[in-house]
Amino acid sequence: MIRSFFSLLSVVAFSCATFAESVTTVKSPNGNIVVTVSEDNGQLSYSVSNNGVSFIEKSALGLVMDYADCSQNLSLGEVSYANLSDSYTVPTIKQRTVTYEANGMTVPVKGKFKSRERGQEVERDVVLFNVEFSVSNSDVAFRYNIQRPNHDQLLAARVMEEKTEFVIAQGSTTFLCPQMIPMTGFAGTAPSYETGYTPDDEMGKNGWGDGYVFPCLFRNADKGWLLISETGTNGSYCGCHMKNINANKYAVAFPNDKECNGNGKPEPGVTLPCATPWRTITLGATLKPIVETTVAWDLVKPVYKASQEYKASRGSWSWIIGMDPSCNYDEQKRYIDFSAAMGYETLLIDALWDVQIGRDRMKELVAYAKSKGVGIFLWYNSNGYWNHAPQSPRLCMDRSLVRRQEMKWLNEIGVRGLKIDFFGGDKQLSMQLYEDILADANDFGLEIIFHGCTLPRGWERMYPNFVAAEAVRASENLHFGQYDCDIEAFCAAIHPFVRNTVGSMDFGGSTLNKYWNADNKTGNIRRTTDAFALATAVLFQSSVQHFALAPNNLTDAPAEAMEYMKRVNTVWDEVRFIDGYPGKYVILARRAGDKWTVVGINAEKETKKVSIDLSGFDFGDKVSLYCDDVKTGAFAKKELKVKKNIAKVEMLCGGGFVIE
Ligand code: CA
């Protein structure tokens, strides 16, 4: 809602001997963040500071369209300002109800445009695009609103390049996740946002050659932190990532031409006029605004109405421990009973169910699950012509005709949701597929989880049946290799600062098995503690979670750990960052109703002693603590006395805690 709208002439033009520069600014409501836009010799740029400290240095803005280079010979039109405010509720994200307050600035950008009129070539000065800024107390967002350069001709265009740059303040370090090289990885399923991070790395690198996925975290020396991402992407644009130009200069990049087995163009086709997705920068002196940001949802709107009320759920999942052979009728029945014993609402049945169980017996299974109060999520391959992932069911989700027939059947037999895997990358045609699947699924009342996929970009608010996406090096890698087990705590201590800040993350972890195998005696060794498993169930945010627990945990895991996992919550009203450093440790609090839960994990080599200030969380002088017994390494549950609102907790390396 635009509360008030006024426009004023704010362009200050001044001249000197060699050039004229136009400058305009917009500040956050509290005045701390200042965005400065300038036009200098026909080039457009912006910069961002916080409390007088530079976070983004002078960085280019502009577009190259197929009909004109809209990055050169530009001038500023009359700038307008608005106070922006919105209040919205999305029950599936980190904060249920959000009040968004920001200052908006619209900068019309003019250039010369040649067109034919009455048989003659005419050059006119026109508004090529507006840059719309929205600046809250912790986030800067901007997008291009591309105008029709003439009113009787161009209706369709291609965006050939975005010149949008992010020149990061000198001396910053990076926490970035490389974009995967297309058609590599399992059966050519890359890119799927499943690489790792190098913490505190130097600037000037370009990942594996193709840049980095959003969101991108930088530490601004000892002055603060900034997180760069994008939101609002749907089938009318491509998913972008970030490439390094040189040194501290980064820019928005379109997908690699080789993605999607070379099908489709990297450059998006648009109808005119149109708005691009929002580019977002979250910044502050600490990591607090980054962990707590809601910028991914603040500026998007629901695309359609929910066809029914979609509810959060917890569930189990045999595949993560038992792999493909476990996707058989008897084992799934055992897991339905296990979900019921845990009080969980769902069970996820993974790949190959169509051949190892069959459709008729699946109908029986879904009915059996229903009798136990358990809803079923079913796995599908998104393929398709975009990669070689062979797992079935295939060719059921790639085209609307077959997809809607399949979803009609799923709805008839009472399936609750789908996990759809192995997507083809970030080109516009892939983004269109995500949107089409979500829209069709809503018609049939199905919740959707994406795997082997792109980053969700505001989708929880845009599509009410969108639950979560993988887009992370997730729990399957703990089963696949010991190395990922060895660095599990390190990775887990990065996600709350990067990947999970902008979207629900389907990690599928919190195992209490000691080994990543069904016999719980062989296979990869878990290096993390049981208290860590409990903590990550709260630390990793997704309203629907299928935990890597197994029926044997009812007898071989600590009873008090299982008791906690039975009542673990996955929907939250609020999150508060308490302490931490990416890759080292993290402590945060989540609120459900009037009840706070504080969790922490430790990835540092030494046992970590922390003193947590609980004032503001209304705990009283005694709390329940699930933690590591640092002497024995065993799981412990204690009553902890809180003196002067300070709780003292110790975490092993790979350990953690839950306070409630
Ligand atoms: Ca995956």
Side-chain angles (χ1 to χ4, degrees):
M1 166 180 51
I2 294 176
R3 208 168 47 198
S4 69
F5 199 97
F6 56 95
S7 94
L8 57 92
L9 191 68
S10 78
V11 181
V12 184
F14 55 90
S15 301
C16 71
T18 55
F19 67 94
E21 187 183 36
S22 299
V23 178
T24 182
T25 62
V26 59
K27 292 180 180 178
S28 56
N30 65 6
N32 292 349
I33 298 176
V34 180
V35 178
T36 304
V37 176
S38 58
E39 177 274 300
D40 183 355
N41 278 340
Q43 305 238 316
L44 191 66
S45 63
Y46 76 106
S47 60
V48 181
S49 67
N50 183 46
N51 286 319
V53 175
S54 171
F55 275 67
I56 299 279
E57 295 173 2
K58 206 168 184 180
S59 304
L61 292 169
L63 299 155
V64 179
M65 302 298 293
D66 59 345
Y67 54 78
D69 181 350
C70 303
S71 68
Q72 312 277 344
N73 304 316
L74 304 172
S75 63
L76 300 188
E78 189 175 314
V79 176
S80 59
Y81 295 87
N83 295 333
L84 307 172
S85 83
D86 190 15
S87 180
Y88 64 91
T89 297
V90 183
T92 51
I93 61 172
K94 64 174 94 168
Q95 183 173 337
R96 177 185 294 265
T97 299
V98 177
T99 302
Y100 179 69
E101 302 278 349
N103 287 332
M105 174 173 75
T106 299
V107 182
V109 179
K110 291 161 125 183
K112 301 243 182 291
F113 182 76
K114 283 183 198 154
S115 61
R116 292 196 76 78
E117 293 176 18
R118 295 193 195 97
Q120 291 199 342
E121 191 168 77
V122 181
E123 186 177 72
R124 293 186 189 281
D125 218 12
V126 298
V127 174
L128 295 168
F129 59 90
N130 297 311
V131 194
E132 297 176 357
F133 287 89
S134 189
V135 183
S136 74
N137 287 342
S138 57
D139 308 284
V140 174
F142 62 91
R143 66 176 177 180
Y144 300 100
N145 211 312
I146 307 168
Q147 301 298 299
R148 288 178 66 193
N150 56 3
H151 284 276
D152 54 350
Q153 292 171 28
L154 284 181
L155 286 171
R158 290 174 68 204
V159 184
M160 304 309 289
E161 195 182 348
E162 266 197 41
K163 292 288 187 185
T164 315
E165 288 176 359
F166 305 95
V167 179
I168 311 294
Q170 295 283 356
S172 299
T173 55
T174 74
F175 300 73
L176 302 173
C177 184
Q179 171 73 320
M180 300 164 88
I181 302 302
M183 306 311 292
T184 62
F186 172 71
T189 55
S192 53
Y193 291 64
E194 293 181 5
T195 56
Y197 294 83
T198 307
D200 265 323
D201 204 1
E202 59 193 22
M203 296 193 287
K205 300 177 182 176
N206 195 35
W208 298 350
D210 217 353
Y212 302 95
V213 301
F214 289 128
C216 299
L217 179 68
F218 295 85
R219 184 165 71 97
N220 187 0
D222 55 355
K223 298 169 207 147
W225 296 82
L226 70 157
L227 184 85
I228 298 171
S229 194
E230 66 173 356
T231 191
T233 311
N234 58 22
S236 59
Y237 215 75
C238 58
C240 298
H241 60 282
M242 203 169 78
K243 64 185 174 191
N244 183 264
I245 305 289
N246 59 52
N248 59 335
K249 186 186 281 189
Y250 296 81
V252 166
F254 285 163
N256 188 309
D257 187 37
K258 295 192 174 67
E259 287 180 24
C260 203
N261 207 20
N263 294 291
K265 299 270 190 192
E267 305 87 7
V270 295
T271 59
L272 297 175
C274 73
T276 66
W278 293 93
R279 283 72 190 78
T280 66
I281 304 161
T282 304
L283 67 158
T286 70
L287 285 156
K288 184 177 169 68
I290 287 166
V291 172
E292 298 176 8
T293 184
T294 54
V295 73
W297 306 280
D298 291 340
L299 293 152
V300 303
K301 289 281 181 283
V303 174
Y304 50 73
K305 271 205 171 110
S307 64
Q308 60 176 69
E309 189 188 350
Y310 296 106
K311 284 196 178 138
S313 61
R314 298 99 24 97
S316 68
W317 175 35
S318 76
W319 184 87
I320 188 60
I321 300 292
M323 296 271 120
D324 290 351
S326 74
C327 294
N328 65 71
Y329 187 91
D330 291 341
E331 188 66 352
Q332 294 313 310
K333 206 168 165 215
R334 194 167 79 100
Y335 265 80
I336 290 167
D337 293 343
F338 175 54
S339 268
M342 294 299 290
Y344 287 171
E345 296 79 15
T346 58
L347 170 75
L348 165 63
I349 302 179
D350 220 279
L352 306 177
W353 59 265
D354 58 325
V355 284
Q356 295 180 178
I357 296 171
R359 285 166 183 261
D360 291 343
R361 297 206 81 198
M362 181 54 73
K363 189 178 169 184
E364 281 175 40
L365 259 186
V366 175
Y368 176 74
K370 195 178 177 196
S371 76
K372 296 278 178 176
V374 175
I376 296 293
F377 275 77
L378 278 187
W379 185 95
Y380 278 86
N381 191 330
S382 73
N383 263 340
Y385 54 74
W386 32 92
N387 57 46
H388 312 287
Q391 282 87 347
S392 63
R394 293 178 64 236
L395 305 171
C396 299
M397 291 290 144
D398 56 323
R399 295 181 302 132
S400 183
L401 190 71
V402 288
R403 183 167 61 235
R404 291 184 69 85
Q405 283 170 2
E406 188 75 5
M407 288 178 171
K408 184 167 180 286
W409 173 74
L410 291 163
N411 177 267
E412 279 163 8
I413 68 166
V415 167
R416 177 168 175 153
L418 308 181
K419 169 186 169 181
I420 307 175
D421 210 337
F422 300 137
F423 284 84
D426 292 347
K427 286 179 182 171
Q428 185 174 12
L429 80 172
S430 294
M431 304 314 277
Q432 185 67 59
L433 178 67
Y434 288 111
E435 182 171 73
D436 291 347
I437 288 173
L438 289 162
D440 282 346
N442 185 51
D443 288 347
F444 296 98
L446 295 164
E447 300 168 32
I448 297 295
I449 298 169
F450 292 127
H451 263 238
C453 61
T454 194
L455 179 78
R457 292 160 164 90
W459 293 355
E460 294 90 339
R461 189 176 178 195
M462 291 160 69
Y463 313 108
N465 57 325
F466 168 76
V467 171
E470 186 182 34
V472 67
R473 195 168 171 85
S475 61
E476 60 192 7
N477 294 287
L478 301 169
H479 194 128
F480 295 156
Q482 184 62 48
Y483 176 72
D484 277 87
C485 293
D486 295 344
I487 62 163
E488 182 188 0
F490 161 75
C491 297
I494 288 184
H495 303 319
F497 301 106
V498 190
R499 162 64 180 88
N500 210 183
T501 59
V502 295
S504 301
M505 181 176 82
D506 193 39
F507 189 85
S510 293
T511 190
L512 289 171
N513 264 24
K514 298 206 176 304
Y515 294 85
W516 284 90
N517 210 344
D519 64 12
N520 202 11
K521 288 185 185 120
T522 56
N524 296 330
I525 305 161
R526 181 161 61 98
R527 304 291 192 200
T528 53
T529 70
D530 292 343
F532 174 97
L534 270 53
T536 51
V538 174
L539 190 63
F540 295 166
Q541 184 273 322
S542 173
S543 66
V544 174
Q545 293 200 47
H546 295 104
F547 299 113
L549 297 171
N552 51 282
N553 297 143
L554 289 168
T555 51
D556 65 11
E560 283 169 327
M562 290 298 278
E563 172 265 327
Y564 183 80
M565 288 305 293
K566 282 178 181 174
R567 57 187 183 78
V568 69
N569 186 34
T570 59
V571 270
W572 303 101
D573 291 296
E574 192 180 347
V575 57
R576 273 194 219 163
F577 173 67
I578 295 175
D579 197 7
Y581 192 95
K584 293 183 177 175
Y585 71 106
V586 54
I587 303 168
L588 58 73
R590 295 196 193 276
R591 180 175 64 81
D594 55 7
K595 194 184 143 196
W596 285 96
T597 303
V598 178
V599 298
I601 59 164
N602 175 33
E604 292 183 284
K605 286 201 175 66
E606 309 299 324
T607 296
K608 192 165 188 72
K609 293 181 185 181
V610 289
S611 296
I612 306 157
D613 185 355
L614 295 181
S615 51
F617 297 115
D618 207 18
F619 274 114
D621 55 6
K622 238 190 280 172
V623 294
S624 294
L625 173 69
Y626 299 83
C627 62
D628 307 321
D629 182 328
V630 296
K631 291 202 180 76
T632 64
F635 177 78
K637 187 191 174 190
K638 297 176 187 169
E639 281 220 320
L640 182 71
K641 286 214 173 86
V642 178
K643 284 182 196 155
K644 293 184 180 168
N645 280 319
I646 300 294
K648 293 191 171 171
V649 180
E650 290 182 278
M651 295 182 277
L652 291 167
C653 170
F657 70 87
V658 176
I659 288 173
E660 48 168 23

